[in-house]
Amino acid sequence: MQSPVKIVVCDDNWVESPLFEFTLRNIGIEYELDWVDDGLQLLIYLTTVEVLPDIIFLDVNMPGKSGIHWLEEIRSNRKWNHIPIIIQSFSGPTRDIEAAFYAGADLFILKSDFSKDFQQTLKTILQRDWTTRTRPRKSAFFVGPGN
């Protein structure tokens, strides 16, 4: 990815914002971070922002419509369907993983507790060359602690 990496996080839990940013600072990647708290605000953001983000982190569990719904909305728009989307959740393996895979997410990660494992996961994701946006096999789609 280019430097700085333009990141948008869509998550209704604003308490996580400083923790996410702290994790980004700790992994030493130049970034610009924007945070929106629901899928509708994400669509408005994508419609109005001058420069599209390099990557989107989208929480699966939000009030109202789920992150999977908003993922489908983004993937249905030609202007945005090239943006890598990482679905994130605190809950472990669930049916959401399969739904996210088939809806077009690029990875599904556990947010965990912003530990060293999460730092390594973010670093790996942000250092990856997403220009070809090659999605992993289904067996490698879920990224949890230690893998």
Side-chain angles (χ1 to χ4, degrees), residues 15 39 44 46 50 61 63 75 83-84 99 109 127 130 133 137:
V15 171
I44 292 167
L46 292 172
E50 280 187 39
N61 298 311
R75 289 292 181 241
I83 302 170
I109 65 171
Q127 288 178 337
W130 288 98
R133 225 188 115 237
R137 295 179 319 280

Side-chain angles (χ1 to χ4, degrees), residues 57-118:
F57 287 86
L58 178 58
D59 186 36
V60 73
N61 298 311
M62 290 188 284
K65 297 178 181 177
S66 76
I68 305 301
H69 170 85
W70 297 112
L71 168 64
E72 291 169 341
E73 288 281 328
I74 294 166
R75 289 292 181 241
S76 70
N77 188 307
R78 287 185 300 165
K79 294 178 186 174
W80 310 324
N81 67 8
H82 68 282
I83 302 170
I85 299 176
I86 312 304
I87 296 290
Q88 54 184 5
S89 177
F90 273 118
S91 54
T94 64
R95 67 180 187 274
D96 291 329
I97 295 171
E98 190 161 321
F101 181 82
Y102 289 113
D106 293 280
L107 287 174
F108 191 107
I109 65 171
L110 283 180
K111 288 193 263 185
S112 74
D113 57 0
F114 297 94
S115 64
K116 290 287 184 192
D117 285 336
F118 187 71

